Amino acid sequence: MVIVPGVEKTNQSVYLPHHAVTREDKSTSKVRVVFDASCKNGNDISLNDNLMTGPTLQPELRHLITSWRNHPVCLIADIVKMYRMVRVAEEDCDCQRILWRDNCEEEIRDYKLLTVTFGTSSAPYLAVKALNQVAIDHKDKYPTAAKRVATDFYMDDLMTGCQTVQEGINLYKEMDGLLREGGFTLHKWSSNSEELLRMFNENQKGEKENKHLDIKLDNIVKILGLTWNRSRDEFQYSVKLPPLSEPVTKRRIISDVSRLFDPLGWIAPCVIKAKVFIQKLWIAGTEWDEEPPQKILEDWYTYRTELDHLTKFHMPRWLCTTLDDGLVELHGFSDASNIAYAAVVYLRVVSASGNVHLYSDNGTNFVGASRELRELFNAEGSTMIAEISSELATVGTSWHFIPPRAPNFGGLWEASRMLQDFWRRWSQEYLSSLLHRYKWGKQTPEAEVGDVVLVNEDDLPPMF
């Protein structure tokens, strides 16, 4: 940031409130500054109210993880202070002013922030767009790394991989060189390969060895955190239960449930039970700051205590897929009860020589699951499997799709039959044209004054 010259103080500007937050769960940068761009002025308008947020430029987290599991050799890293590496246009810096002094004896002075700032709604888009532009500008010099920037980054976290250690060395050098062209620096490199790890440690002396990767959607502390264990090349869950304080209200229970992090449905039976608690609270008519009935309260205490057992959960990262696989099968299953329904997908890999690659005794690898309360499976399960298959298809092997097992219960028998018909048509007709978008291939008239249009903003809640 720089001091605002006296002659510019009268320019149209926005001042951002700011304060420090302490994060004891962080190994570095325990104290961070937070800027409140959502703070409203005297006209009841904030900076964020007037900013375009921009479209989402990165893949969904579950897609990225599924794709990452394809690689026998994996690499991870993150960008040092990603937001602060991106400059904001000079004419827009006056919208990022703050008041500051180093100690209480000094006069308060006006500053303006020159780089992308935490707390502004456009910050994620601007940072990712700048990263993608670096890849576009230098794709001829770094072709392999440039392709990975668009598919293997989740904000500042790189989750990529390759087939061999030598490919990993080349990818590391390309990615590091590409990002430095745009002023970005990668650190905390890690891998499941000991050879790559030794090279990383030599090149980043002084950095603490990165044994784990905490996978997250945002900076909120999760009760359940998904972690990749480098030494075992497995996923596992960490449990961070906040202190249980009285009274236990509906608001606190729902707050805890919302922090259960399970992007791929690996602990679906556990999470669906928590959703049932929310359903029971609404049925009981409990107010937000009121204690629920004793039976619900006792069940919640038991459930909360048993969450500690999830630390025993582990899931192999690699799906045993390679470039020379002869056959890759997705096996889908669905079932339902009066309370909930679920779909689950397994992967079976057969080599060109006929051997079955497996991590489990049944010859399959768990890919993902989906679960919801009391709704039909068709759309949810089929969409999940379509998304999973598109990510796994990057391996370049041949595919064979096994339809979901027909659930043997009366109410959903017809739905199951329809689902099998859907699978037959989906695999034969739709799969070959996944990239085809009919609505963009058909000419439509431009909107004119007087037309009624529906404008959908990506950052708004559903149905708004």
Side-chain angles (χ1 to χ4, degrees):
M1 63 185 184
V2 296
I3 295 175
V4 178
V7 294
E8 295 183 10
K9 286 187 177 181
T10 56
N11 292 358
Q12 188 175 11
S13 59
V14 177
Y15 283 79
L16 303 179
H18 56 91
H19 63 276
V21 294
T22 304
R23 293 287 300 275
E24 294 297 338
D25 61 308
K26 293 289 184 180
S27 57
T28 59
S29 304
K30 291 183 179 295
V31 178
R32 298 188 177 189
V33 62
V34 173
F35 300 92
D36 186 5
S38 294
C39 181
K40 297 184 183 296
N41 61 16
N43 295 324
D44 201 32
I45 299 175
S46 69
L47 175 62
N48 280 345
D49 290 336
N50 290 275
L51 285 177
M52 294 182 180
T53 57
T56 301
L57 299 177
Q58 57 195 12
E60 287 188 28
L61 182 59
R62 62 175 179 169
H63 296 177
L64 178 58
I65 294 174
T66 302
S67 180
W68 188 47
R69 296 183 70 191
N70 280 315
H71 307 293
V73 179
C74 69
L75 298 86
I76 65 167
D78 67 43
I79 301 173
V80 179
K81 298 180 177 63
M82 182 183 188
Y83 284 9
R84 291 308 188 192
M85 299 300 108
V86 182
R87 289 293 294 265
V88 171
E90 181 65 30
E91 60 268 24
D92 295 328
C93 290
D94 281 323
C95 292
Q96 299 185 154
R97 286 193 189 181
I98 67 169
L99 299 176
W100 180 255
R101 60 183 178 186
D102 289 330
N103 61 71
C104 58
E105 304 299 326
E106 292 184 358
E107 180 183 356
I108 295 177
R109 309 184 77 170
D110 298 62
Y111 291 83
K112 57 182 178 181
L113 303 167
L114 303 179
T115 57
V116 171
T117 300
F118 293 93
T120 57
S121 58
S122 59
Y125 168 79
L126 293 173
V128 175
K129 180 62 178 178
L131 182 65
N132 288 350
Q133 192 61 46
V134 172
I136 293 171
D137 293 343
H138 302 281
K139 63 182 178 181
D140 293 336
K141 187 176 180 181
Y142 305 98
T144 302
K147 292 179 181 178
R148 301 295 183 98
V149 166
T151 60
D152 294 0
F153 266 99
Y154 191 80
M155 285 306 300
D156 59 344
D157 289 323
L158 170 66
M159 300 169 65
T160 188
C162 48
Q163 295 291 311
T164 65
V165 172
Q166 185 57 50
E167 287 181 24
I169 294 173
N170 296 337
L171 181 57
Y172 162 74
K173 292 178 179 178
E174 269 207 29
M175 189 65 73
D176 189 63
L178 171 65
L179 265 63
R180 287 185 185 277
E181 295 280 359
F184 295 107
T185 303
L186 285 167
H187 72 152
K188 296 182 182 178
W189 281 95
S190 191
S191 173
N192 61 335
S193 165
E194 294 297 331
E195 184 177 342
L196 284 175
L197 204 61
R198 285 193 295 270
M199 182 186 68
F200 295 157
N201 291 337
E202 290 175 2
N203 294 340
Q204 53 188 18
K205 290 179 180 178
E207 283 192 23
K208 186 178 179 181
E209 182 181 350
N210 190 15
K211 295 183 179 180
H212 303 283
L213 168 66
D214 291 325
I215 299 170
K216 57 189 183 300
L217 276 174
D218 47 43
N219 290 323
I220 299 174
V221 180
K222 302 286 184 182
I223 287 179
L224 293 180
L226 182 59
T227 302
W228 171 66
N229 185 316
R230 177 194 60 76
S231 56
R232 298 169 61 101
D233 198 15
E234 290 180 341
F235 293 107
Q236 60 191 37
Y237 278 90
S238 58
V239 180
K240 303 171 185 176
L241 290 171
L244 187 61
S245 57
E246 302 290 344
V248 177
T249 62
K250 172 182 173 180
R251 188 185 304 276
R252 289 185 176 176
I253 292 177
I254 293 179
S255 174
D256 283 352
V257 170
S258 66
R259 291 155 62 194
L260 299 178
F261 185 53
D262 184 31
L264 285 103
W266 292 340
I267 52 172
C270 172
V271 175
I272 199 66
K273 191 171 182 180
K275 290 190 174 184
V276 170
F277 276 113
I278 297 179
Q279 194 178 59
K280 289 180 178 179
L281 288 172
W282 287 104
I283 293 174
T286 307
E287 298 295 331
W288 281 102
D289 295 309
E290 179 186 354
E291 277 198 355
Q294 187 62 30
K295 180 63 172 69
I296 297 178
L297 202 57
E298 291 174 358
D299 291 343
W300 174 250
Y301 286 144
T302 302
Y303 173 82
R304 204 172 182 276
T305 303
E306 290 177 349
L307 282 177
D308 285 326
H309 295 298
L310 287 174
T311 55
K312 301 174 184 177
F313 170 92
H314 60 91
M315 172 76 65
R317 180 199 59 81
W318 184 37
L319 289 169
C320 298
T321 49
T322 61
L323 289 175
D324 60 351
D325 291 329
L327 183 66
V328 179
E329 298 175 348
L330 280 179
H331 293 253
F333 299 88
S334 64
D335 211 340
S337 70
N338 290 332
I339 298 175
Y341 69 94
V344 62
V345 176
Y346 292 89
L347 190 75
R348 184 172 182 266
V349 182
V350 183
S351 67
S353 59
N355 296 323
V356 178
H357 297 307
L358 67 149
Y359 262 120
S360 59
D361 295 335
N362 62 8
T364 60
N365 300 296
F366 185 24
V367 178
S370 182
R371 68 278 179 266
E372 290 298 335
L373 294 175
R374 299 183 64 135
E375 293 179 25
L376 281 179
F377 156 77
N378 286 16
E380 179 77 16
S382 59
T383 300
M384 176 191 69
I385 297 170
E387 291 173 344
I388 287 172
S389 63
S390 65
E391 296 301 326
L392 295 174
T394 58
V395 183
T397 56
S398 58
W399 289 88
H400 180 57
F401 293 90
I402 310 299
R405 180 189 63 196
N408 190 16
F409 46 90
L412 288 180
W413 180 258
E414 181 63 19
S416 173
R417 186 188 63 77
M418 293 172 60
L419 183 60
Q420 292 189 45
D421 291 340
F422 165 82
W423 267 99
R424 182 165 53 255
R425 292 198 58 190
W426 182 82
S427 60
Q428 294 174 1
E429 301 173 19
Y430 179 66
L431 182 62
S432 61
S433 59
L434 275 178
L435 296 180
H436 178 66
R437 294 293 182 268
Y438 176 75
K439 63 181 180 180
W440 301 123
K442 182 179 178 181
Q443 186 174 2
T444 55
E446 293 292 334
E448 299 177 351
V449 175
D451 288 347
V452 177
V453 298
L454 179 66
V455 180
N456 178 38
E457 297 186 28
D458 292 337
D459 57 347
L460 288 179
M463 302 307 295
F464 275 66

